[in-house]
Amino acid sequence: MPTYLRHTVFSFFIIVALTGIWMRLIPLHSIDLIPYTHLLHGHSHLAFLGWVFLGLILIFLKLFWPSIRAKKQIIPMTITLIIVTILMFIAFLYQGYALFSIILSTLHIFIQYWVAIFIYREMKQLSMPSSASLFMKGGLVTLVISSFSPFSLGFIAAKGLQDSPFFDMAIYFYLHFQYNGWFFLFLIGLFIAIIHRKNIHFNQTLLTYAFWLYFIALFPSYLHSILWAELGRGMTILSAVGSIGQWIAVLLILISFKEIYQAISSYFGKLFTITVKLVFILLFVKHTLELGLMIPELGTLVYESRSVIIGYLHLTLLGFVSLFLFIQFYMIGLFRKSSITVFGFSVFIISFLLNEGLLFMQGLTEWTTLPVFPYILEGLLLASILLAISGFCLWYSSRNNSIENIY
């Protein structure tokens, strides 16, 4: 398998972390080289469409490499994806949301379709548990569904409705089907496939039930993220049903994995097992917090607090998605079993916990009369620096590690 994929994935993570440091520096030191909004767009798009998207592809290709038939497609497909992603990132830094960044973002969507079709066709003849196939195919479906949002944004902008609720509703549509759809479903599917390769027992039937409950509930639960639009009683009830359905489905997934930890510990060690448990705890916390939005007063407070929204987004993208990606990289043998790997994971977790603690503390001070915690901005900057350090450590851990001979 081409080694440039591994290095590109890590380089994207590092760039995301470095732009995060830059954004944390701006409130402390006026840096006018690149506007903050341009940095924010570049940072978020590279995180979604570079680091996570390519990371998922890397795991899939590594896991099924010997059985993949259309290997000739992989180099042109991934090289095109990498080039467009880099150009898109540069365009966002240069001009924000404008002509070139919109063109390149649209081009990236068509490459996503190429990737989705490629994976779907390959999955037809790959050996994996039926539950893994369900989750991965569900992830591909929601990836395509999420792409409807960027196209709708163009239509909304053309009608001069950028300041209307429809614009924000379209953005939340994209985030919902990326975070709760594509990222979540495909990661769970890959995890099932990996532990199946290790002959680790799990409850296949319960996972199947959990998938269908989650997938069906995913659609009405989108309404939960736009309750601020005052959709009416009927839609509010429907959103609650969807969110409760997702919460139950996540609980079933966690129950279905309850017997895997002893086997994982024997393969990978106790520290790694604790990290896996942390990821699933964060997943449960994330969906439990979402249930709180059913309380109107709490929902209003959350939607009006930028720090809480950013904290929630980072809870998902850093705490669940990124950490789960690193876990699966380790499980497929991408990292060496070494002190630098342990250090990298430890620093990542410390960075994440510090970032979340400060963001939610900042939100708490906005809601109450409590005094503002001193040095929050400096603490958030430190968390960003630690995140970059963890990325460099894990990249270094993988640099001399062969990923060809794992299975």
Side-chain angles (χ1 to χ4, degrees):
M1 191 178 76
T3 57
Y4 67 82
L5 283 176
R6 168 179 45 175
H7 296 299
T8 304
V9 167
F10 278 102
S11 65
F12 282 165
F13 178 83
I14 296 298
I15 295 170
V16 170
L18 292 176
T19 53
I21 293 173
W22 194 335
M23 288 189 292
R24 292 303 181 194
L25 276 170
I26 289 177
L28 296 170
H29 305 282
S30 296
I31 305 174
D32 299 327
L33 183 61
I34 298 176
Y36 180 86
T37 54
H38 293 191
L39 276 170
L40 178 60
H41 291 317
H43 172 84
S44 59
H45 280 79
L46 188 63
F48 276 69
L49 306 179
W51 152 241
V52 178
F53 191 86
L54 200 61
L56 292 171
I57 294 172
L58 174 61
I59 298 171
F60 175 82
L61 293 178
K62 169 60 198 71
L63 197 57
F64 299 108
W65 183 258
S67 303
I68 291 176
R69 295 174 299 179
K71 289 186 174 70
K72 292 182 178 179
Q73 280 193 52
I74 292 172
I75 290 180
M77 180 176 68
T78 54
I79 291 293
T80 303
L81 176 64
I82 291 167
I83 292 173
V84 170
T85 302
I86 293 171
L87 292 176
M88 178 184 64
F89 174 70
I90 294 171
F92 275 115
L93 294 185
Y94 176 69
Q95 61 177 191
Y97 264 114
L99 178 62
F100 293 116
S101 59
I102 292 173
I103 290 173
L104 289 164
S105 299
T106 305
L107 183 57
H108 196 288
I109 291 173
F110 288 106
I111 301 172
Q112 292 174 36
Y113 294 161
W114 182 5
V115 172
I117 292 170
F118 168 82
I119 292 176
Y120 178 78
R121 287 178 174 174
E122 291 296 330
M123 284 181 63
K124 290 181 178 180
Q125 48 85 38
L126 294 176
S127 176
M128 69 178 76
S130 59
S131 57
S133 178
L134 276 175
F135 276 95
M136 292 168 68
K137 288 178 180 177
L140 295 176
V141 169
T142 50
L143 170 65
V144 174
I145 291 173
S146 72
S147 70
F148 300 162
S149 173
F151 292 125
S152 69
L153 285 173
F155 175 79
I156 292 170
K159 294 294 184 179
L161 300 173
Q162 295 95 321
D163 298 324
S164 71
F166 296 108
F167 193 85
D168 290 333
M169 290 166 72
I171 291 175
Y172 277 107
F173 182 92
Y174 177 78
L175 291 173
H176 177 71
F177 283 100
Q178 284 275 313
Y179 272 53
N180 297 318
W182 159 235
F183 293 168
F184 171 79
L185 293 171
F186 208 75
L187 275 169
I188 294 293
L190 289 171
F191 183 73
I192 294 169
I194 292 171
I195 61 176
H196 174 72
R197 288 284 186 93
K198 293 292 185 181
N199 295 316
I200 297 174
H201 176 73
F202 54 90
N203 193 321
Q204 177 89 245
T205 303
L206 195 58
L207 276 173
T208 301
Y209 291 146
F211 167 79
W212 285 113
L213 176 58
Y214 186 95
F215 188 76
I216 293 170
L218 183 64
F219 294 88
S221 68
Y222 158 66
L223 299 171
H224 207 61
S225 60
I226 57 169
L227 290 177
W228 47 265
E230 299 181 0
L231 304 172
R233 184 175 177 81
M235 290 296 184
T236 301
I237 293 173
L238 189 59
S239 76
V241 170
S243 294
I244 293 171
Q246 278 191 298
W247 185 86
I248 295 172
V250 166
L251 189 61
L252 293 178
I253 290 170
L254 299 184
I255 293 173
S256 68
F257 287 147
K258 69 177 182 178
E259 298 178 1
I260 70 173
Y261 300 110
Q262 185 174 354
I264 286 179
S265 181
S266 64
Y267 273 110
F268 304 106
K270 291 183 179 179
L271 181 60
F272 178 81
T273 307
I274 292 172
T275 308
V276 174
K277 288 181 179 179
L278 174 61
V279 164
F280 288 137
I281 288 171
L282 292 172
L283 176 65
F284 181 76
V285 168
K286 169 189 175 296
H287 282 278
T288 302
L289 289 174
E290 289 174 0
L291 291 181
L293 296 178
M294 290 189 293
I295 304 172
E297 294 79 8
L298 181 59
T300 301
L301 288 174
V302 169
Y303 293 130
E304 292 178 351
S305 175
R306 185 174 182 273
S307 60
V308 172
I309 292 175
I310 294 174
Y312 165 78
L313 294 176
H314 283 176
L315 174 68
T316 305
L317 192 60
L318 280 180
F320 175 72
V321 175
S322 294
L323 189 54
F324 207 11
L325 278 171
F326 282 133
I327 283 172
Q328 294 190 29
F329 288 169
Y330 186 83
M331 295 180 79
I332 63 175
L334 184 58
F335 300 131
R336 290 176 294 163
K337 295 181 180 180
S338 63
S339 58
I340 192 69
T341 302
V342 174
F343 181 77
F345 268 95
S346 301
V347 173
F348 181 96
I349 293 171
I350 291 170
S351 166
F352 164 73
L353 294 176
L354 178 60
N355 185 73
E356 292 301 293
L358 291 174
L359 284 172
F360 283 109
M361 190 180 298
Q362 192 174 29
L364 184 62
T365 59
E366 293 173 3
W367 297 344
T368 65
T369 57
L370 292 174
V372 177
F373 185 78
Y375 304 113
I376 279 187
L377 295 179
E378 290 83 357
L380 291 171
L381 174 61
L382 175 60
S384 298
I385 293 171
L386 291 175
L387 185 66
I389 291 172
S390 71
F392 278 115
C393 290
L394 293 173
W395 192 357
Y396 178 83
S397 174
S398 74
R399 66 186 180 90
N400 295 320
N401 209 38
S402 172
I403 59 174
E404 300 298 335
N405 302 311
I406 306 305
Y407 298 106

